Amino acid sequence: MASLEDLRAQIDEVDARLIDTIAERLRLVREAAALKAEHKSAAYSKERESYLLHSRAEMAEKAGLPAGLIDDLLLRLLRESYKGKGPAAYACLKPANRPIVIVGGAGAMGRLFSDYFKASGYHVEILEKDGWEQAPQLLGQALAVFVSVPISAAAAVIADTASFIAPDTVLCDFTSVKGPYVKQMLEVHPGPVLGLHPMFGPDIKSLVKQVIVSCGGRGEEQYRFILEQFKLWGAKICTCAPDEHDEAMSIIQALRHFTTYCYGIFLAQLRPPLQQILDLSSPIYRLELEMVGRLFAQDPHLYADIIMSSPRNAELIEAYFASLKPQIDLILQQDKEQFIERFMQARDYFGPYAQKFLQDSGALLAKIQDDWE
Amino acid sequence: MASLEDLRAQIDEVDARLIDTIAERLRLVREAAALKAEHKSAAYSKERESYLLHSRAEMAEKAGLPAGLIDDLLLRLLRESYKGKGPAAYACLKPANRPIVIVGGAGAMGRLFSDYFKASGYHVEILEKDGWEQAPQLLGQALAVFVSVPISAAAAVIADTASFIAPDTVLCDFTSVKGPYVKQMLEVHPGPVLGLHPMFGPDIKSLVKQVIVSCGGRGEEQYRFILEQFKLWGAKICTCAPDEHDEAMSIIQALRHFTTYCYGIFLAQLRPPLQQILDLSSPIYRLELEMVGRLFAQDPHLYADIIMSSPRNAELIEAYFASLKPQIDLILQQDKEQFIERFMQARDYFGPYAQKFLQDSGALLAKIQDDWE
């Protein structure tokens, strides 16, 4: 039997080979991406990804690798190749000599989309409050305009913007509430209207697999190229009626952020020593705490805007608060039986998702533990 | 320039080489593990892991790989080798012909530790309510006894157990509340006492990097081998006074689970369509929802026990509830200024952790997105 030193020297050698092989793979993928961009095919193909995962899993099984290992490694490699796309890598689906104008384009979200449009060969113009004297000229020739401003300014900016654009310009907004703003855009602009809600922060590394909600207003034929362009960048388009969107967002964003906010405020009043809490936390509890703490590293105005963006949110939050009292009473009365009965009702509501969530988050925890000490 | 088919054929070839190289690496690591077990050295070495990550990152940089890629791939490979440890892979730090007895050892947590002790060459006996007639004989010769039963039964089982064990037997419990049970164990047993709280569920794949809280009661010299054995299995031992532990757990477990429970109960009353919510959710929101839903796939008794385990928890939950009203009022009054002021106070409390949590969870989200469509 070899000594530990011998074995470690062999592992060093194998790792060097591993690294060279990975470098070679990335090189080939880059070549393929350049070729795909030339042929205007999409950055991300679900079919190709499924094929790769499936065929490699078969190869790995034959080689005696444990189940799931090659999938994880391959997905990590694929992420690298999505992320690595350079500015020349996307096709332009609507070549035109009219610009894409992003109103509020100097903000983080505006900049993200500006970069993507530029990387696809569009002529992009940024319009800010500061340079508003250029509005008539820039907006007048725009192919499409994206209003990307804080929600508190959205109504005024949409009205101003609409007054300068041509009847065939596609008017879009990125506001996180869709009902009132899609309605307003339809009122102030006779041409194509598209409400959009990018469901991510501007700090993402790539649009691949990110959700953009699309609430079409008018002129599907004229605005379609925008959604197709988003898909080409790898985003997932979710089409939805404006009111349906708003109802779901009250839950997904407003209520969830509000409860996280409240939890953080309470901890800040209690002031338990954070490092001790972390030391005592296994991965699942650490993740719970991270999800709370991360909110407070971000822009408070953004969260105030999201939570207070509609009367519907306030109603939902009030209803949530009212629902708590019976649960508090359970704990004070140590009523385990009722606790379990309500638990089972909620399990019933979550249905097969509860088990799926447990499995998915279990896999996730195994993964993040690699990183944490 | 090669055609896309050519490139894909080359990628196929590279992937085959990649898989063979990985298989070879796993083989070498298995050999090294067998060798380490022979020499009774630990399953997991932080130093070796740091060295590997550091040296491979250097090699990868020279080969032109993007930053962070080899770290992620290597950590995933290391996880495989921790997980893959077979039953013969651990050294026994306290060879003895007296058994380790796990009271409640047929439960999931008891079974987990039983497997690990067996894998380290200990003689393990399981004692359950059903076979309690064996208690005098099994407990009488025990080297160490672990009480692993639901908290509602803990006091009675500890008392019964103590009545049969020898004065030099190490008495341990796995109860999630430590103050009262460490105190009880010290009262009913004159010998070595060790309170333990494994901070994970029994569904984990490996003990590597998992936290076990240790609240020593008496006889450090006699119980030390148990903690050393846990470390050898890769666990992280966090030493803590029983009351300190309980105070932290009220926050880490009871309050957090309670708020998650309440959120799930409210959703179950509201009944929004889950699939639509998921479709509209980007990774961060999906993760938030998973963290809620996963609770309801688990044992309701366990959560009732954790939340109702001490009067301290009820007090904390009441205080939390009382703290919510001012926040609800903010929303109803649309008081953004106050919202932001309190936000900044909480940011202040989280200090540098807020930014760290944002970064860590950002990296995590990038990672889990690989898996989600």
Side-chain angles (χ1 to χ4, degrees), chain A residues 70-341:
Chain A
I70 196 68
D71 304 64
D72 285 350
L73 297 176
L74 194 60
L75 283 167
R76 180 63 186 84
L77 280 168
L78 292 176
R79 166 148 66 97
E80 208 53 57
S81 49
Y82 302 145
K83 198 169 69 180
K85 301 231 152 296
Y90 301 109
C92 178
L93 295 182
K94 183 96 173 183
N97 40 25
R98 296 167 66 182
I100 301 276
V101 180
I102 304 186
V103 182
M109 188 61 86
R111 226 163 32 227
L112 177 77
F113 279 89
S114 161
D115 288 348
Y116 264 96
F117 274 115
K118 280 184 193 159
S120 308
Y122 289 90
H123 170 199
V124 180
E125 295 283 356
I126 303 296
L127 193 57
E128 280 287 335
K129 223 193 303 185
D130 264 2
W132 196 254
E133 62 281 2
Q134 289 183 283
Q137 188 237 331
L138 290 181
L139 292 173
Q141 18 163 332
L143 175 66
V145 175
F146 294 82
V147 175
S148 178
V149 298
I151 195 166
S152 48
V157 174
I158 287 172
D160 285 357
T161 300
S163 68
F164 293 118
I165 59 178
D168 67 340
T169 299
V170 185
L171 178 59
C172 311
D173 79 315
F174 284 156
T175 318
S176 64
V177 175
K178 296 268 61 89
Y181 299 101
V182 171
K183 187 161 169 281
Q184 187 201 358
M185 290 194 292
L186 288 170
E187 282 164 8
V188 295
H189 180 52
V193 162
L194 175 61
L196 295 165
H197 184 192
M199 292 297 296
F200 45 83
D203 58 326
I204 52 157
K205 304 266 184 291
S206 149
L207 279 177
V208 167
K209 300 187 191 184
Q210 292 291 356
V211 174
I212 300 176
V213 183
S214 156
C215 300
R218 179 196 297 134
E220 204 264 339
E221 209 173 308
Q222 288 111 302
Y223 70 63
R224 191 190 307 136
F225 84 94
I226 295 171
L227 300 178
E228 293 302 321
Q229 193 71 55
F230 291 169
K231 283 188 208 161
L232 201 65
W233 296 338
K236 193 181 144 200
I237 305 301
C238 182
T239 305
C240 191
D243 281 337
E244 240 176 34
H245 164 276
D246 292 350
E247 205 170 310
M249 287 309 141
S250 287
I251 299 169
I252 298 175
Q253 294 195 311
L255 182 62
R256 193 70 199 130
H257 288 323
F258 178 72
T259 58
T260 303
Y261 173 82
C262 290
Y263 195 85
I265 299 284
F266 180 66
L267 282 187
Q269 288 165 358
L270 206 63
R271 301 193 89 77
L274 269 175
Q275 190 53 55
Q276 193 198 31
I277 296 283
L278 284 172
D279 288 344
L280 287 167
S281 293
S282 51
I284 178 77
Y285 295 113
R286 183 160 178 164
L287 181 57
E288 299 260 21
L289 189 61
E290 284 201 351
M291 299 293 279
V292 177
R294 80 192 296 279
L295 185 129
F296 296 94
Q298 297 173 77
D299 181 4
H301 298 88
L302 178 70
Y303 286 99
D305 275 352
I306 289 177
I307 296 172
M308 300 187 193
S309 64
S310 88
R312 192 201 307 262
N313 295 351
E315 275 166 39
L316 189 70
I317 286 169
E318 257 198 301
Y320 171 69
F321 184 60
S323 81
L324 292 178
K325 188 76 177 57
Q327 268 62 261
I328 307 282
D329 289 343
L330 280 186
I331 307 303
L332 297 181
Q333 291 152 19
Q334 300 270 305
D335 188 346
K336 282 195 192 181
E337 209 176 302
Q338 260 299 311
F339 179 96
I340 290 166
E341 195 177 316

Side-chain angles (χ1 to χ4, degrees), chain A residues 12 15 25 56 72 76 199 272 275 282 294 296 298 305 336 347 349 353 361 364 368 371, chain B residues 12 15 25 56 72 76 199 272 275 282 294 296 298 305 336 347 349 353 361 364 367-368:
Chain A
D12 284 347
D15 282 352
R25 189 183 204 285
R56 273 43 172 174
D72 285 350
R76 180 63 186 84
M199 292 297 296
Q275 190 53 55
S282 51
R294 80 192 296 279
F296 296 94
Q298 297 173 77
D305 275 352
K336 282 195 192 181
R347 176 183 285 182
Y349 162 69
Y353 290 101
S361 56
L364 168 68
I368 56 182
D371 296 347
Chain B
D12 284 348
D15 282 352
R25 190 184 203 285
R56 272 43 172 175
D72 286 349
R76 181 60 186 86
M199 292 296 296
Q275 190 54 54
S282 51
R294 79 191 297 279
F296 296 95
Q298 296 172 76
D305 275 352
K336 281 194 193 182
R347 176 183 288 182
Y349 162 68
Y353 291 100
S361 57
L364 167 68
K367 213 170 264 199
I368 57 183

Side-chain angles (χ1 to χ4, degrees), chain A residues 33-54:
Chain A
L35 209 62
K36 276 193 279 181
E38 235 175 69
H39 292 85
K40 309 200 175 222
S41 59
Y44 168 70
S45 153
K46 202 178 161 215
E47 288 69 35
R48 172 72 182 161
E49 184 173 307
S50 301
Y51 161 75
L52 275 174
L53 286 172
H54 185 75

Side-chain angles (χ1 to χ4, degrees), chain B residues 101-103 139 142-147 161 165 169-173:
Chain B
V101 181
I102 303 185
V103 182
L139 292 173
L143 174 67
V145 175
F146 294 82
V147 175
T161 300
I165 59 179
T169 298
V170 184
L171 178 59
C172 310
D173 80 314

